[in-house]
């Protein structure tokens, strides 16, 4: 399971959207919502190795990801840890 952030504020995911890595379908969004602290839509998704091999953290980090929302592909950043701002710097208007 990974966390996703879609930086376009006009795009919303709810769940069921296809996740692509380097243009190949690798998973599906299970849930999504607006993430105020990251200023974009956030979601959770299960992804898999396209060849059925073991999916390593390095492989997850190395890919380029997109999410299919209503037939259009939108770039997404994938995180292995929650994409929040633990010190609250973004909420306070300061970049970490």
């Amino acid at each position: 399971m990974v966390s996703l952030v879609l930086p376009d504020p006009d795009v919303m995911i709810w769940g069921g959207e296809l996740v692509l890595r380097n243009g190949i379908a690798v998973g599906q969004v299970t849930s999504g919502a607006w993430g105020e602290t990251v200023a974009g839509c956030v979601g959770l998704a299960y992804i898999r190795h396209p060849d059925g091999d073991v999916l390593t953290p390095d492989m997850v980090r190395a890919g380029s990801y997109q999410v299919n929302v209503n037939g259009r592909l939108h770039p997404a950043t994938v995180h292995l840890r929650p994409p929040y701002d633990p010190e609250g710097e973004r909420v306070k208007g300061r970049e970490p």
Side-chain angles (χ1 to χ4, degrees):
M1 179 172 272
V2 296
S3 297
L4 302 165
V5 176
L6 281 72
D8 185 343
D10 295 327
V11 177
M12 188 67 187
I13 56 177
W14 302 98
E17 294 85 2
L18 186 66
V19 178
L20 296 94
R21 179 184 179 274
N22 299 334
I24 299 170
V26 293
Q28 189 173 22
V29 175
T30 60
S31 59
W34 176 255
E36 189 64 32
T37 60
V38 295
C41 191
V42 296
L44 296 175
Y46 284 108
I47 61 172
R48 60 177 167 64
H49 193 291
D51 298 329
D53 294 338
V54 174
L55 186 61
T56 65
D58 288 338
M59 183 181 176
V60 172
R61 288 185 196 102
S64 173
Y65 292 88
Q66 295 174 308
V67 176
N68 183 325
V69 180
N70 296 323
R72 296 186 62 205
L73 298 178
H74 298 275
T77 304
V78 171
H79 301 269
L80 295 171
R81 302 185 68 158
Y84 71 103
D85 177 19
E87 301 302 321
E89 295 300 312
R90 288 182 287 228
V91 174
K92 296 172 188 169
R94 299 184 291 241
E95 290 295 322

